[in-house]
Amino acid sequence: MSTMQATLNASGARAEKAAAPSKLAVRKAKSAVLLGLVYTAAALTCALLIGLIGYIFVKGVPHITWQLLSTAPSALKDTIGILPNILNTLYIVAFSLLLALPLGVGAAVYLTEYATSRRLISLVEFATEALAGIPSILYGLVGMLFFAQMLGFKTSLLSGGCTLVIMILPTIIRTTQESLKTVPASYREGALGLGATKWYMIRTIVLPSSLEGIITGCILAVGRIVGESAALLFTAGVGTVIAKNVFAAFSRSGGTLSVALYMYVSERGEFDVGYAIAAILMVLVLGLNAATRLVRNRMKKKEGAQ
């Protein structure tokens, strides 16, 4: 009986050894298939992005002229210019970020480092996620009723900028908050153990360590500001007059590049101008993203030198 059992065990062991190479081959095949699918998805994504950017540049760059970039539109001269729209876009980007970044980063720091009520934290997080999913046209209607009419800002860049601040705050808060959560607790414990105050620890250790997420939120916010048109049609208007100074620009109606793109294509059928504006918008977004990354790299080098 024992001899028969030993024979069965030996044959079973030989069968398992024979099956092992086949199982390994199946696993390698599955791994190769999944790896191929991942590379295919990445290649399709890159091809789609490159194709979209290339198509916009091919269609738009030939129609970009110095007159288009350096003049305002004139009905008397029958000329088209987008200089006021370029200036309005830069004004509204700077205004929105100057207000939204301190508010968003400050709110994220409070929720992550100071707030102790889980109910409050959950409520604020739910509110920010809900606000991030609201269609932009609703922001435009609320901005028109509250900023333009109730507060008396009228249809102006100021109304549009305040509306955009509310729109991008959820994005900045959530990205900064998630970045702060990735900072190891040992960093905080070590700083506090050495006698640093909580604010000094946050300012010198936590925030520099989470700079990547803050820059990401800033880039996402810039993309939404530059590409927004529905909300700005209700709040900032479509004005194309070059203001004498920045303060005068914020007190009057002013259309951004995205609004000008919509007006020229949908209202006037100027598709060549629309492609030119789209190419300029693409260059502007890429330039702003590159500038933010350059600032981030310089801050990292400065931090490393210290």
PDB file of all heavy atoms in Angstrom, residues 66-85:
ATOM      1  N   TRP A  66       0.465  89.952 -38.339  1.00  0.00           N
ATOM      2  CA  TRP A  66       0.789  90.989 -37.371  1.00  0.00           C
ATOM      3  C   TRP A  66      -0.392  91.923 -37.145  1.00  0.00           C
ATOM      4  O   TRP A  66      -0.622  92.386 -36.030  1.00  0.00           O
ATOM      5  CB  TRP A  66       2.005  91.766 -37.837  1.00  0.00           C
ATOM      6  CG  TRP A  66       2.375  92.899 -36.907  1.00  0.00           C
ATOM      7  CD1 TRP A  66       2.294  94.223 -37.155  1.00  0.00           C
ATOM      8  CD2 TRP A  66       2.857  92.763 -35.566  1.00  0.00           C
ATOM      9  NE1 TRP A  66       2.698  94.951 -36.057  1.00  0.00           N
ATOM     10  CE2 TRP A  66       3.053  94.068 -35.059  1.00  0.00           C
ATOM     11  CE3 TRP A  66       3.146  91.664 -34.747  1.00  0.00           C
ATOM     12  CZ2 TRP A  66       3.511  94.310 -33.782  1.00  0.00           C
ATOM     13  CZ3 TRP A  66       3.611  91.905 -33.466  1.00  0.00           C
ATOM     14  CH2 TRP A  66       3.791  93.211 -32.998  1.00  0.00           C
ATOM     15  N   GLN A  67      -1.144  92.198 -38.175  1.00  0.00           N
ATOM     16  CA  GLN A  67      -2.333  93.043 -38.027  1.00  0.00           C
ATOM     17  C   GLN A  67      -3.358  92.392 -37.112  1.00  0.00           C
ATOM     18  O   GLN A  67      -3.983  93.069 -36.290  1.00  0.00           O
ATOM     19  CB  GLN A  67      -2.969  93.310 -39.394  1.00  0.00           C
ATOM     20  CG  GLN A  67      -4.224  94.191 -39.322  1.00  0.00           C
ATOM     21  CD  GLN A  67      -4.851  94.409 -40.695  1.00  0.00           C
ATOM     22  OE1 GLN A  67      -4.236  94.097 -41.710  1.00  0.00           O
ATOM     23  NE2 GLN A  67      -6.058  94.930 -40.711  1.00  0.00           N
ATOM     24  N   LEU A  68      -3.525  91.094 -37.228  1.00  0.00           N
ATOM     25  CA  LEU A  68      -4.469  90.390 -36.359  1.00  0.00           C
ATOM     26  C   LEU A  68      -4.049  90.467 -34.899  1.00  0.00           C
ATOM     27  O   LEU A  68      -4.896  90.639 -34.010  1.00  0.00           O
ATOM     28  CB  LEU A  68      -4.568  88.924 -36.801  1.00  0.00           C
ATOM     29  CG  LEU A  68      -5.519  88.024 -36.000  1.00  0.00           C
ATOM     30  CD1 LEU A  68      -6.969  88.407 -36.267  1.00  0.00           C
ATOM     31  CD2 LEU A  68      -5.270  86.560 -36.322  1.00  0.00           C
ATOM     32  N   LEU A  69      -2.746  90.366 -34.642  1.00  0.00           N
ATOM     33  CA  LEU A  69      -2.254  90.333 -33.271  1.00  0.00           C
ATOM     34  C   LEU A  69      -2.122  91.710 -32.637  1.00  0.00           C
ATOM     35  O   LEU A  69      -2.158  91.819 -31.406  1.00  0.00           O
ATOM     36  CB  LEU A  69      -0.890  89.636 -33.233  1.00  0.00           C
ATOM     37  CG  LEU A  69      -0.848  88.164 -33.633  1.00  0.00           C
ATOM     38  CD1 LEU A  69       0.588  87.672 -33.673  1.00  0.00           C
ATOM     39  CD2 LEU A  69      -1.669  87.312 -32.675  1.00  0.00           C
ATOM     40  N   SER A  70      -1.970  92.737 -33.426  1.00  0.00           N
ATOM     41  CA  SER A  70      -1.579  94.044 -32.873  1.00  0.00           C
ATOM     42  C   SER A  70      -2.636  95.125 -32.991  1.00  0.00           C
ATOM     43  O   SER A  70      -2.379  96.272 -32.611  1.00  0.00           O
ATOM     44  CB  SER A  70      -0.296  94.529 -33.566  1.00  0.00           C
ATOM     45  OG  SER A  70      -0.519  94.693 -34.964  1.00  0.00           O
ATOM     46  N   THR A  71      -3.812  94.815 -33.479  1.00  0.00           N
ATOM     47  CA  THR A  71      -4.840  95.842 -33.659  1.00  0.00           C
ATOM     48  C   THR A  71      -6.159  95.385 -33.045  1.00  0.00           C
ATOM     49  O   THR A  71      -6.364  94.203 -32.750  1.00  0.00           O
ATOM     50  CB  THR A  71      -5.072  96.145 -35.149  1.00  0.00           C
ATOM     51  OG1 THR A  71      -5.525  94.950 -35.815  1.00  0.00           O
ATOM     52  CG2 THR A  71      -3.807  96.657 -35.799  1.00  0.00           C
ATOM     53  N   ALA A  72      -7.057  96.361 -32.885  1.00  0.00           N
ATOM     54  CA  ALA A  72      -8.415  96.089 -32.449  1.00  0.00           C
ATOM     55  C   ALA A  72      -9.324  96.018 -33.674  1.00  0.00           C
ATOM     56  O   ALA A  72      -9.022  96.628 -34.705  1.00  0.00           O
ATOM     57  CB  ALA A  72      -8.896  97.182 -31.492  1.00  0.00           C
ATOM     58  N   PRO A  73     -10.424  95.285 -33.603  1.00  0.00           N
ATOM     59  CA  PRO A  73     -11.319  95.215 -34.767  1.00  0.00           C
ATOM     60  C   PRO A  73     -11.953  96.568 -35.068  1.00  0.00           C
ATOM     61  O   PRO A  73     -12.249  97.352 -34.159  1.00  0.00           O
ATOM     62  CB  PRO A  73     -12.367  94.191 -34.333  1.00  0.00           C
ATOM     63  CG  PRO A  73     -12.328  94.199 -32.853  1.00  0.00           C
ATOM     64  CD  PRO A  73     -10.924  94.489 -32.472  1.00  0.00           C
ATOM     65  N   SER A  74     -12.125  96.854 -36.331  1.00  0.00           N
ATOM     66  CA  SER A  74     -12.693  98.142 -36.762  1.00  0.00           C
ATOM     67  C   SER A  74     -13.737  97.892 -37.839  1.00  0.00           C
ATOM     68  O   SER A  74     -13.439  97.298 -38.881  1.00  0.00           O
ATOM     69  CB  SER A  74     -11.586  99.059 -37.289  1.00  0.00           C
ATOM     70  OG  SER A  74     -12.140 100.241 -37.825  1.00  0.00           O
ATOM     71  N   ALA A  75     -14.974  98.365 -37.586  1.00  0.00           N
ATOM     72  CA  ALA A  75     -16.035  98.246 -38.587  1.00  0.00           C
ATOM     73  C   ALA A  75     -15.844  99.247 -39.714  1.00  0.00           C
ATOM     74  O   ALA A  75     -16.200  98.974 -40.864  1.00  0.00           O
ATOM     75  CB  ALA A  75     -17.395  98.450 -37.920  1.00  0.00           C
ATOM     76  N   LEU A  76     -15.254 100.405 -39.392  1.00  0.00           N
ATOM     77  CA  LEU A  76     -15.043 101.427 -40.424  1.00  0.00           C
ATOM     78  C   LEU A  76     -13.970 100.986 -41.420  1.00  0.00           C
ATOM     79  O   LEU A  76     -14.123 101.155 -42.629  1.00  0.00           O
ATOM     80  CB  LEU A  76     -14.640 102.751 -39.766  1.00  0.00           C
ATOM     81  CG  LEU A  76     -15.691 103.400 -38.853  1.00  0.00           C
ATOM     82  CD1 LEU A  76     -15.137 104.654 -38.208  1.00  0.00           C
ATOM     83  CD2 LEU A  76     -16.951 103.730 -39.651  1.00  0.00           C
ATOM     84  N   LYS A  77     -12.868 100.421 -40.911  1.00  0.00           N
ATOM     85  CA  LYS A  77     -11.781  99.971 -41.781  1.00  0.00           C
ATOM     86  C   LYS A  77     -11.996  98.543 -42.297  1.00  0.00           C
ATOM     87  O   LYS A  77     -11.232  98.074 -43.128  1.00  0.00           O
ATOM     88  CB  LYS A  77     -10.448 100.049 -41.033  1.00  0.00           C
ATOM     89  CG  LYS A  77     -10.072 101.453 -40.588  1.00  0.00           C
ATOM     90  CD  LYS A  77      -8.758 101.425 -39.823  1.00  0.00           C
ATOM     91  CE  LYS A  77      -8.373 102.809 -39.336  1.00  0.00           C
ATOM     92  NZ  LYS A  77      -7.111 102.799 -38.561  1.00  0.00           N
ATOM     93  N   ASP A  78     -13.018  97.874 -41.769  1.00  0.00           N
ATOM     94  CA  ASP A  78     -13.313  96.485 -42.131  1.00  0.00           C
ATOM     95  C   ASP A  78     -12.102  95.584 -41.886  1.00  0.00           C
ATOM     96  O   ASP A  78     -11.685  94.794 -42.744  1.00  0.00           O
ATOM     97  CB  ASP A  78     -13.759  96.387 -43.592  1.00  0.00           C
ATOM     98  CG  ASP A  78     -14.378  95.026 -43.914  1.00  0.00           C
ATOM     99  OD1 ASP A  78     -14.840  94.369 -42.963  1.00  0.00           O
ATOM    100  OD2 ASP A  78     -14.357  94.630 -45.084  1.00  0.00           O
ATOM    101  N   THR A  79     -11.536  95.707 -40.668  1.00  0.00           N
ATOM    102  CA  THR A  79     -10.380  94.897 -40.287  1.00  0.00           C
ATOM    103  C   THR A  79     -10.716  94.092 -39.032  1.00  0.00           C
ATOM    104  O   THR A  79     -11.607  94.447 -38.260  1.00  0.00           O
ATOM    105  CB  THR A  79      -9.153  95.779 -40.007  1.00  0.00           C
ATOM    106  OG1 THR A  79      -9.465  96.734 -38.977  1.00  0.00           O
ATOM    107  CG2 THR A  79      -8.724  96.503 -41.265  1.00  0.00           C
ATOM    108  N   ILE A  80      -9.985  93.025 -38.866  1.00  0.00           N
ATOM    109  CA  ILE A  80     -10.164  92.144 -37.711  1.00  0.00           C
ATOM    110  C   ILE A  80      -8.881  92.147 -36.897  1.00  0.00           C
ATOM    111  O   ILE A  80      -7.789  91.948 -37.441  1.00  0.00           O
ATOM    112  CB  ILE A  80     -10.508  90.712 -38.154  1.00  0.00           C
ATOM    113  CG1 ILE A  80     -11.847  90.688 -38.879  1.00  0.00           C
ATOM    114  CG2 ILE A  80     -10.542  89.761 -36.955  1.00  0.00           C
ATOM    115  CD1 ILE A  80     -12.197  89.327 -39.447  1.00  0.00           C
ATOM    116  N   GLY A  81      -9.002  92.378 -35.595  1.00  0.00           N
ATOM    117  CA  GLY A  81      -7.857  92.341 -34.687  1.00  0.00           C
ATOM    118  C   GLY A  81      -8.266  91.753 -33.352  1.00  0.00           C
ATOM    119  O   GLY A  81      -9.412  91.910 -32.917  1.00  0.00           O
ATOM    120  N   ILE A  82      -7.342  91.071 -32.712  1.00  0.00           N
ATOM    121  CA  ILE A  82      -7.667  90.403 -31.445  1.00  0.00           C
ATOM    122  C   ILE A  82      -6.768  90.873 -30.304  1.00  0.00           C
ATOM    123  O   ILE A  82      -6.701  90.205 -29.263  1.00  0.00           O
ATOM    124  CB  ILE A  82      -7.555  88.878 -31.598  1.00  0.00           C
ATOM    125  CG1 ILE A  82      -6.131  88.481 -32.016  1.00  0.00           C
ATOM    126  CG2 ILE A  82      -8.586  88.346 -32.575  1.00  0.00           C
ATOM    127  CD1 ILE A  82      -5.895  86.989 -31.978  1.00  0.00           C
ATOM    128  N   LEU A  83      -6.099  92.008 -30.470  1.00  0.00           N
ATOM    129  CA  LEU A  83      -5.262  92.503 -29.378  1.00  0.00           C
ATOM    130  C   LEU A  83      -6.057  92.731 -28.096  1.00  0.00           C
ATOM    131  O   LEU A  83      -5.595  92.341 -27.012  1.00  0.00           O
ATOM    132  CB  LEU A  83      -4.547  93.785 -29.810  1.00  0.00           C
ATOM    133  CG  LEU A  83      -3.656  94.432 -28.744  1.00  0.00           C
ATOM    134  CD1 LEU A  83      -2.558  93.484 -28.285  1.00  0.00           C
ATOM    135  CD2 LEU A  83      -3.051  95.737 -29.254  1.00  0.00           C
ATOM    136  N   PRO A  84      -7.252  93.331 -28.136  1.00  0.00           N
ATOM    137  CA  PRO A  84      -8.028  93.476 -26.891  1.00  0.00           C
ATOM    138  C   PRO A  84      -8.355  92.137 -26.248  1.00  0.00           C
ATOM    139  O   PRO A  84      -8.333  92.013 -25.016  1.00  0.00           O
ATOM    140  CB  PRO A  84      -9.301  94.207 -27.344  1.00  0.00           C
ATOM    141  CG  PRO A  84      -8.937  94.876 -28.612  1.00  0.00           C
ATOM    142  CD  PRO A  84      -7.942  93.972 -29.261  1.00  0.00           C
ATOM    143  N   ASN A  85      -8.640  91.132 -27.055  1.00  0.00           N
ATOM    144  CA  ASN A  85      -8.971  89.813 -26.508  1.00  0.00           C
ATOM    145  C   ASN A  85      -7.762  89.158 -25.854  1.00  0.00           C
ATOM    146  O   ASN A  85      -7.890  88.490 -24.817  1.00  0.00           O
ATOM    147  CB  ASN A  85      -9.509  88.911 -27.622  1.00  0.00           C
ATOM    148  CG  ASN A  85     -10.684  89.520 -28.349  1.00  0.00           C
ATOM    149  OD1 ASN A  85     -10.579  89.880 -29.526  1.00  0.00           O
ATOM    150  ND2 ASN A  85     -11.811  89.670 -27.679  1.00  0.00           N
TER     151      ASN A  85
END
